[in-house]
Amino acid sequence: MTRIDDTFARLRAEGKKAFVAYIMAGDPDMAGSLELMKGLPGAGVDIIELGIPFTDPMADGPTIQAAGQRALEAGMTLSKVLQMVQEFRSGDATTPVVLMGYYNPIYSHGVERFIREAKAAGVDGMIVVDLPPEEDEELCLPAQAAGLNFIRLATPTTDAKRLPKVLQNTSGFVYYVSITGITGSATPQAGDLAPAVAAIKAGTDLPVVIGFGINTPETAKLMAGVADGCVVGSSIVKSVGEKKPLGEILAQVAALSGGAHSA
């Protein structure tokens, strides 16, 4: 049982859906993003997705691309991302932290070293968007052997033939991408997603959370209503980019989490 497993079990017992928030590590700088990260659980965030900045983020929309660029320009590295998690863990031993990013920084860091350091820092899982199931031996299987969840994305183009392969070595939860395209690019429709979520649940006992395109409490409620939770990223990251005060951003997060939790 990981912190992710424990969190979903607790939420089920409480009759609640999960609210997952994404922020970019190091945006606008390490200190600022760490302060925001520390404030997320108090704003109702159940699981934190922490972005690893990368120079070529193919699945990210303009908002998150810009955040990654700001973080890189501020000197953010994978080692500093792990340091952020370690500092967060010194005051929070329960909120799950999932790293989200691309394989290149992990490969450059060294897979064995990354897994060892991530586990020691208090990371609970990872989403590596450019590692397909055919490459599970690269990172997925070693990570899971070390007790880290490896969370896989399913998309509207994941057909019935492909889905079992996607689910095969997934753990923690399944992240369903609600739209075809990049982050922050469109608004999903709950009625369109229910059959896709049902198809995933027919193939796994894992929770399913919906992400991409969720930017209001109302949309968060609708998306969480057809799944086990929802993910919000771009709208939070946009507020960071606009240099809104921390209290204002956390109030925005609290409103979004309230929508998800009321589903």
Side-chain angles (χ1 to χ4, degrees):
M1 292 285 285
T2 64
R3 288 187 188 93
I4 296 171
D5 299 327
D6 290 342
T7 295
F8 277 106
R10 173 181 59 79
L11 290 168
R12 276 194 300 272
E14 295 173 358
K16 292 170 66 176
K17 302 298 180 74
F19 181 70
V20 184
Y22 171 97
I23 62 170
M24 178 64 73
D27 177 35
D29 51 42
M30 184 169 169
S33 59
L34 179 59
E35 189 177 12
L36 174 57
M37 185 181 183
K38 288 179 176 179
L40 292 177
V45 173
D46 300 302
I47 299 172
I48 297 171
E49 268 185 37
L50 189 61
I52 303 171
F54 180 49
T55 53
D56 190 23
M58 61 184 182
D60 297 336
T63 299
I64 291 179
Q65 283 190 31
Q69 192 59 43
R70 289 192 297 267
L72 291 170
E73 290 172 358
M76 203 61 185
T77 64
L78 180 53
S79 291
K80 289 181 179 179
V81 175
L82 296 175
Q83 183 184 335
M84 262 187 72
V85 177
Q86 190 167 19
E87 292 189 30
F88 173 80
R89 278 283 166 250
S90 67
D92 188 317
T94 57
T95 304
V97 175
V98 174
L99 299 184
M100 185 169 187
Y102 299 83
Y103 186 47
N104 184 279
I106 296 169
Y107 178 79
S108 300
H109 193 83
V111 171
E112 289 185 12
R113 176 188 170 199
F114 167 73
I115 291 172
R116 181 176 67 252
E117 293 178 355
K119 184 69 176 176
V123 172
D124 301 289
M126 62 191 75
I127 302 170
V128 183
V129 298
D130 55 348
L131 268 186
E134 287 76 15
E135 307 295 336
D136 275 355
E137 291 185 3
E138 286 281 330
L139 179 61
C140 171
L141 297 180
Q144 298 204 125
L148 295 167
N149 288 134
F150 198 88
I151 296 144
R152 192 82 70 188
L153 301 177
T155 74
T157 60
T158 306
D159 60 22
K161 183 178 178 181
R162 180 65 174 168
L163 185 59
K165 186 72 173 176
V166 169
L167 298 175
Q168 185 176 350
N169 291 317
T170 302
S171 63
F173 60 90
V174 179
Y175 187 135
Y176 185 71
V177 177
S178 64
I179 57 173
T180 302
I182 54 176
T183 57
S185 60
T187 301
Q189 301 298 317
D192 298 337
L193 301 180
V197 172
I200 295 170
K201 285 185 164 293
T204 180
D205 293 330
L206 292 171
V208 179
V209 302
I210 296 175
F212 283 46
I214 301 169
N215 51 27
T216 67
E218 293 75 21
T219 311
K221 181 177 181 177
L222 287 171
M223 295 302 106
V226 299
D228 299 295
C230 67
V231 185
V232 176
S234 292
S235 67
I236 300 169
V237 172
K238 181 183 178 186
S239 294
V240 174
E242 292 170 348
K243 300 182 179 179
K244 291 183 178 178
L246 177 64
E248 188 175 329
I249 297 173
L250 291 175
Q252 174 191 357
V253 173
L256 289 160
S257 71
H261 289 151
S262 66

XYZ file of all heavy atoms in Angstrom, residues 5 12 144 149-154 158 163-176 196-209 228:
301
model
N -2.549 4.694 -2.638
C -3.560 3.683 -2.309
C -4.324 4.074 -1.047
O -5.562 3.971 -0.992
C -2.898 2.317 -2.098
C -2.169 1.815 -3.333
O -2.625 2.107 -4.451
O -1.138 1.133 -3.168
N -12.738 6.908 -0.512
C -13.885 6.002 -0.730
C -14.694 5.836 0.546
O -15.931 5.853 0.527
C -13.397 4.643 -1.234
C -13.162 4.572 -2.735
C -13.007 3.133 -3.196
N -11.891 2.447 -2.562
C -10.639 2.465 -3.026
N -10.346 3.136 -4.131
N -9.691 1.804 -2.398
N 8.287 0.205 -9.805
C 7.293 -0.504 -9.005
C 7.944 -1.503 -8.057
O 7.458 -1.714 -6.945
C 6.269 -1.171 -9.925
C 5.512 -0.141 -10.749
C 4.159 -0.581 -11.250
O 3.179 0.085 -10.999
N 4.095 -1.682 -11.969
N 4.538 3.923 -7.378
C 3.480 3.688 -8.356
C 3.876 4.253 -9.719
O 4.500 5.310 -9.807
C 2.171 4.337 -7.916
C 1.512 3.621 -6.758
O 1.073 4.231 -5.793
N 1.437 2.307 -6.837
N 3.504 3.531 -10.776
C 3.714 4.018 -12.135
C 2.337 4.202 -12.757
O 1.625 3.229 -13.007
C 4.552 3.029 -12.951
C 5.165 3.644 -14.180
C 6.409 4.265 -14.124
C 4.495 3.624 -15.392
C 6.978 4.841 -15.240
C 5.046 4.198 -16.523
C 6.300 4.811 -16.455
N 1.972 5.453 -12.953
C 0.621 5.825 -13.373
C 0.620 6.033 -14.881
O 1.471 6.748 -15.415
C 0.179 7.096 -12.627
C 0.092 6.799 -11.122
C -1.144 7.620 -13.152
C 0.516 7.929 -10.243
N -0.316 5.409 -15.528
C -0.353 5.455 -16.993
C -1.504 6.339 -17.470
O -2.549 6.444 -16.833
C -0.545 4.036 -17.525
C -0.328 3.895 -19.002
C 1.116 3.766 -19.379
N 1.673 2.494 -18.972
C 2.967 2.194 -19.045
N 3.825 3.081 -19.499
N 3.402 1.024 -18.659
N -1.287 6.959 -18.630
C -2.328 7.742 -19.279
C -3.120 6.881 -20.244
O -2.543 6.109 -21.013
C -1.708 8.899 -20.067
C -0.858 9.916 -19.311
C -0.286 10.922 -20.299
C -1.658 10.620 -18.239
N -4.432 7.023 -20.213
C -5.305 6.502 -21.273
C -5.958 7.704 -21.931
O -6.192 8.732 -21.282
C -6.358 5.562 -20.705
N -7.194 5.588 -27.180
C -6.824 4.264 -26.670
C -7.988 3.311 -26.916
O -9.001 3.366 -26.216
C -6.492 4.311 -25.163
O -5.491 5.302 -24.918
C -5.982 2.954 -24.686
N -6.058 -0.910 -24.805
C -6.280 -0.625 -23.389
C -5.684 -1.665 -22.445
O -5.035 -1.290 -21.450
C -7.774 -0.444 -23.122
C -8.154 -0.032 -21.699
C -7.506 1.285 -21.318
C -9.672 0.060 -21.565
N -5.850 -2.980 -22.679
C -5.259 -3.946 -21.745
C -3.743 -3.804 -21.608
O -3.199 -4.001 -20.518
C -5.637 -5.299 -22.358
C -6.865 -5.023 -23.159
C -6.666 -3.650 -23.711
N -3.076 -3.438 -22.694
C -1.624 -3.236 -22.643
C -1.280 -2.027 -21.778
O -0.333 -2.048 -20.997
C -1.100 -3.042 -24.072
C 0.418 -2.960 -24.181
C 1.061 -4.311 -23.957
C 2.557 -4.273 -24.238
N 3.200 -5.565 -23.938
N -2.081 -0.981 -21.914
C -1.867 0.229 -21.129
C -2.052 -0.050 -19.633
O -1.314 0.452 -18.788
C -2.839 1.342 -21.592
C -2.835 2.523 -20.630
C -2.487 1.795 -23.000
N -3.048 -0.873 -19.314
C -3.377 -1.138 -17.907
C -2.476 -2.183 -17.253
O -2.423 -2.271 -16.022
C -4.838 -1.610 -17.806
C -5.907 -0.623 -18.261
C -7.279 -1.279 -18.207
C -5.881 0.643 -17.418
N -1.764 -2.933 -18.052
C -1.064 -4.128 -17.570
C -0.171 -3.875 -16.355
O -0.255 -4.585 -15.360
C -0.223 -4.713 -18.709
C 0.459 -6.027 -18.351
C 1.207 -6.625 -19.550
O 1.055 -6.152 -20.675
N 1.990 -7.629 -19.319
N 0.685 -2.881 -16.424
C 1.617 -2.623 -15.322
C 1.354 -1.282 -14.637
O 2.233 -0.752 -13.947
C 3.058 -2.669 -15.836
C 3.484 -4.077 -16.224
O 3.196 -5.038 -15.507
N 4.143 -4.210 -17.358
N 0.151 -0.755 -14.814
C -0.212 0.505 -14.172
C -0.540 0.264 -12.699
O -1.090 -0.775 -12.345
C -1.426 1.132 -14.885
O -1.101 1.336 -16.254
C -1.823 2.448 -14.260
N -0.208 1.245 -11.863
C -0.568 1.144 -10.437
C -0.882 2.537 -9.911
O -0.592 3.545 -10.548
C 0.567 0.503 -9.634
O 1.744 1.302 -9.675
N -1.494 2.607 -8.746
C -1.875 3.887 -8.145
C -3.225 4.351 -8.635
O -4.216 4.302 -7.919
N -3.268 4.828 -9.866
C -4.522 5.175 -10.517
C -4.272 5.276 -12.015
O -3.124 5.277 -12.470
C -5.130 6.483 -9.967
C -4.289 7.731 -10.116
C -4.383 8.545 -11.243
C -3.415 8.123 -9.107
C -3.636 9.700 -11.370
C -2.650 9.278 -9.215
C -2.767 10.079 -10.355
N -5.355 5.343 -12.773
C -5.273 5.559 -14.212
C -5.666 7.005 -14.481
O -6.684 7.488 -13.981
C -6.208 4.614 -14.995
C -6.108 4.874 -16.500
C -5.883 3.165 -14.683
N -4.861 7.686 -15.261
C -5.118 9.079 -15.610
C -5.765 9.088 -16.992
O -5.115 8.772 -17.981
C -3.787 9.835 -15.621
C -3.844 11.336 -15.808
C -3.061 12.166 -15.005
C -4.628 11.928 -16.794
C -3.074 13.548 -15.176
C -4.656 13.306 -16.966
C -3.862 14.103 -16.154
O -3.882 15.465 -16.338
N -7.051 9.453 -17.045
C -7.727 9.514 -18.332
C -7.674 10.934 -18.884
O -8.155 11.883 -18.259
C -9.187 9.058 -18.240
C -9.839 9.022 -19.604
C -9.476 8.044 -20.530
C -10.758 9.980 -19.987
C -10.018 8.026 -21.803
C -11.322 9.968 -21.254
C -10.938 8.990 -22.164
O -11.468 8.978 -23.427
N -16.059 5.938 -21.658
C -14.621 5.663 -21.651
C -14.149 5.250 -20.254
O -13.360 4.312 -20.099
C -13.848 6.890 -22.128
N -14.645 5.944 -19.234
C -14.288 5.585 -17.858
C -14.801 4.194 -17.523
O -14.097 3.384 -16.902
C -14.838 6.633 -16.872
C -14.648 6.170 -15.424
C -14.150 7.984 -17.089
N -16.016 3.883 -17.952
C -16.581 2.551 -17.705
C -15.741 1.466 -18.374
O -15.528 0.386 -17.805
C -18.019 2.503 -18.210
N -15.251 1.743 -19.582
C -14.408 0.765 -20.291
C -13.110 0.519 -19.547
O -12.635 -0.630 -19.449
C -14.126 1.256 -21.711
N -12.521 1.580 -18.997
C -11.286 1.420 -18.216
C -11.568 0.612 -16.953
O -10.829 -0.316 -16.608
C -10.689 2.794 -17.859
C -10.250 3.532 -19.121
C -9.498 2.628 -16.909
C -9.879 4.982 -18.895
N -12.657 0.941 -16.263
C -12.980 0.253 -15.021
C -13.317 -1.227 -15.245
O -13.139 -2.047 -14.335
C -14.136 0.960 -14.313
C -13.699 2.266 -13.641
C -14.832 2.876 -12.859
C -14.332 3.929 -11.893
N -13.506 3.393 -10.802
N -13.753 -1.559 -16.453
C -14.015 -2.966 -16.758
C -12.719 -3.767 -16.846
O -12.738 -4.991 -16.716
C -14.777 -3.077 -18.081
N -11.604 -3.059 -17.026
C -10.332 -3.748 -17.171
C -9.393 -3.625 -15.993
O -8.296 -4.194 -16.006
N -9.786 -2.867 -14.955
C -8.906 -2.675 -13.813
C -9.713 -2.306 -12.572
O -10.807 -1.756 -12.677
C -7.873 -1.559 -14.089
O -7.016 -1.394 -12.953
C -8.546 -0.224 -14.373
N -9.161 -2.608 -11.411
C -9.756 -2.180 -10.144
C -9.205 -0.837 -9.688
O -9.612 -0.318 -8.640
C -9.477 -3.227 -9.055
C -10.200 -4.542 -9.320
O -11.282 -4.498 -9.932
O -9.667 -5.603 -8.919
N -8.277 -0.271 -10.441
C -7.648 0.987 -10.046
C -8.626 2.158 -10.172
O -9.506 2.156 -11.036
C -6.428 1.271 -10.924
C -5.227 0.344 -10.768
C -4.201 0.641 -11.855
C -4.604 0.487 -9.378
N -8.459 3.185 -9.337
C -9.251 4.400 -9.524
C -8.911 5.053 -10.864
O -7.794 4.914 -11.378
C -8.811 5.297 -8.359
C -8.129 4.392 -7.385
C -7.551 3.277 -8.179
N -9.871 5.771 -11.408
C -9.674 6.519 -12.647
C -9.908 7.999 -12.347
O -10.939 8.365 -11.793
C -10.647 6.051 -13.746
C -10.441 6.864 -15.030
C -10.485 4.561 -14.019
N -8.938 8.831 -12.701
C -9.112 10.277 -12.568
C -9.034 10.903 -13.948
O -8.349 10.399 -14.837
C -8.082 10.921 -11.612
C -8.163 10.309 -10.226
C -6.674 10.804 -12.158
N -13.292 8.769 -10.459
C -12.928 8.728 -9.037
C -12.252 10.015 -8.583
O -11.842 10.138 -7.430
C -12.002 7.539 -8.773
C -12.670 6.216 -9.093
O -13.651 5.879 -8.410
O -12.233 5.527 -10.038
